[in-house]
Amino acid sequence: MKTLAAVLLALSFTSQAQELYRRQPASQTRWATFENPRAAKGQAATENKGAKGRPFQPLAAGETKTLLDVQGSGSVRRIWITISDRDPATLRALKLEMYWDGAKTPAVSVPFGDFFGAIHGRAVKLENEFFVNPEGRSFNCYIPMPFRTGARITLTNESGHLVKHLFYDVDILATAKPDPEVLYFHAIWRREQPTQLGRDFEILPQVKGEGRFLGAHVGVIAAPDLTGWWGEGEVKMFLDGDTAQPTIAGTGTEDYIGTGWGQGLYQTRFMGSTVGDKETRQYAFYRYHVPDPVYFHSGLRVTLQQMGGDTKANVVKLLERGAAIRPVSIDVGGELVPLMDKPEGYMLATDPAPADSWVNMYQRQDVSAIALFYLNAAENGLPALAPVSQRTAALPPPSEAK
């Protein structure tokens, strides 16, 4: 029983981070808020004689607020934020950045909403291992984020309009000395609108160093001119020197997040699907590698194939229409027949397979993703966050259909 208990404890990332029953004389609990922006001891609630003097501040267009700026070692343990403006464009336009140990470039530089699980800027009720939005109007993050000599977190309003109310607290544990074994938390966001035919979307571009891929938030806006299912693409992980071929490859997009045969709405600790809007063709989902860790020792690249599928009859119609697709395989009676090596002149329309046979096809769509990972360096060398115009372009408003 003791061995089993130890294994279960090791499987839980958050349990490792906090043993509830042990004394922690070297750790000091501090909260940064507008009432105490530097999380200093004995310096909270000093305004208005302690009677709620500064619970929030406005965030003007173009303004950057510093939410945390501390020196010394420790770790961020929780971030809570709520704002008065929560429409999709605003949530994509707010830029969240985090710097560790005085680094010149941020380890985290992402759209605020997508980071907190409001993928496509759509804030929904959410509860999983790392992110919680109890009623769709507040944003909590519980990912541990260690630092050795200092930490700074900022929020920049790139929306072009005033956000009247910004409330927050950042909860940290300050420690007497840094842990030399900890890794730094990183997050990046990417979008391709649309993706390129036959080329995988990069969830995480090539990053060098040692670390752990923690997971991803992914948003898809399926191509409006295509029929069928959009999610046949496989997730691939290129580990430690992989070039042409990855070490890890999945079986399909919805398979990667633990479901199959299509994708509805659900939420679990480590994987879920938060948006499935047929009217705007928006889909959003997450996957965290906690009990199934993905470690890398010299580098990592993570991609998602851009592939969908439909019946042979419907794919033939798309081809005749000139749609930007390329059939890659066909399921004939339970046997998957590859099409990529067919001789020149092959036409799906004349293939003897039945009309209702399933055809997988490369296709283009609008894809965005947050990659969450740990790295042994405070800077990751990855491209800067895209301008706000690219982040919010052609972002459909939420419809009534869920």
Side-chain angles (χ1 to χ4, degrees), residues 31-341:
W31 287 18
T33 67
F34 285 130
E35 298 271 13
N36 186 9
R38 292 193 174 275
K41 185 179 185 308
Q43 296 299 311
T46 58
E47 298 189 34
N48 198 32
K49 297 183 178 179
K52 199 166 186 173
R54 194 185 291 268
F56 67 87
Q57 286 189 7
L59 186 61
E63 183 181 11
T64 296
K65 293 285 190 188
T66 298
L67 307 184
L68 177 72
D69 190 357
V70 295
Q71 302 300 310
S73 62
S75 61
V76 175
R77 307 309 290 268
R78 172 182 179 263
I79 302 172
W80 166 82
I81 298 175
T82 188
I83 54 177
S84 52
D85 298 64
R86 297 183 299 275
D87 60 278
T90 300
L91 293 181
R92 267 278 172 89
L94 297 178
K95 180 174 67 175
L96 179 68
E97 295 192 311
M98 304 182 191
Y99 300 78
W100 312 126
D101 296 357
K104 294 181 179 180
T105 62
V108 174
S109 185
V110 291
F112 171 86
D114 292 76
F115 176 78
F116 281 97
I119 304 165
H120 297 308
R122 296 185 62 160
V124 300
K125 292 182 181 180
L126 174 69
E127 182 178 6
N128 61 41
E129 181 77 351
F130 295 128
F131 296 92
V132 179
N133 192 331
E135 298 183 79
R137 55 179 184 262
S138 62
F139 306 89
N140 296 266
C141 174
Y142 287 94
I143 297 176
M145 306 175 188
F147 51 91
R148 291 180 171 86
T149 63
R152 182 163 63 94
I153 299 177
T154 64
L155 185 65
T156 302
N157 182 2
E158 297 183 337
S159 71
H161 66 264
L162 170 70
V163 175
K164 292 182 179 179
H165 297 86
L166 165 63
F167 298 77
Y168 86 96
D169 63 69
V170 178
D171 309 351
I172 68 171
L173 282 182
T175 56
K177 59 182 180 179
D179 182 346
E181 297 300 317
V182 299
L183 300 169
Y184 295 97
F185 175 69
H186 293 252
I188 68 160
W189 180 88
R190 297 193 68 256
R191 183 186 188 187
E192 290 186 21
Q193 184 199 16
T195 54
Q196 294 189 24
L197 190 64
R199 192 182 78 174
D200 297 354
F201 172 81
E202 287 188 322
I203 294 173
L204 177 61
Q206 183 68 50
V207 65
K208 296 180 180 180
E210 181 181 9
R212 175 178 182 169
F213 180 58
L214 196 56
H217 299 166
V218 182
V220 173
I221 304 176
D225 60 333
L226 300 183
T227 58
W229 171 238
W230 56 267
E232 292 293 342
E234 300 171 353
V235 170
K236 300 177 183 178
M237 301 187 190
F238 297 79
L239 295 169
D240 300 330
D242 289 343
T243 54
Q245 302 302 129
T247 296
I248 296 171
T251 61
T253 307
E254 82 272 33
D255 307 358
Y256 177 64
I257 57 172
T259 187
W261 308 102
Q263 184 176 313
L265 298 180
Y266 63 97
Q267 295 181 25
T268 68
R269 287 179 66 188
F270 306 119
M271 53 201 175
S273 176
T274 57
V275 175
D277 189 332
K278 294 181 179 179
E279 183 175 326
T280 62
R281 295 179 65 80
Q282 292 184 69
Y283 298 86
F285 45 98
Y286 62 88
R287 168 73 188 274
Y288 307 132
H289 296 277
V290 179
D292 59 333
V294 177
Y295 296 114
F296 56 94
H297 303 285
S298 62
L300 176 68
R301 176 173 172 255
V302 181
T303 68
L304 175 62
Q305 283 180 318
Q306 295 307 288
M307 189 179 295
D310 205 343
T311 64
K312 174 192 167 185
N314 286 340
V315 173
V316 168
K317 290 178 182 177
L318 290 172
L319 290 168
E320 291 173 346
R321 250 183 22 222
I325 61 171
R326 182 182 180 184
V328 300
S329 58
I330 183 169
D331 183 347
V332 183
E335 179 182 354
L336 194 65
V337 179
L339 301 179
M340 296 294 286
D341 294 327

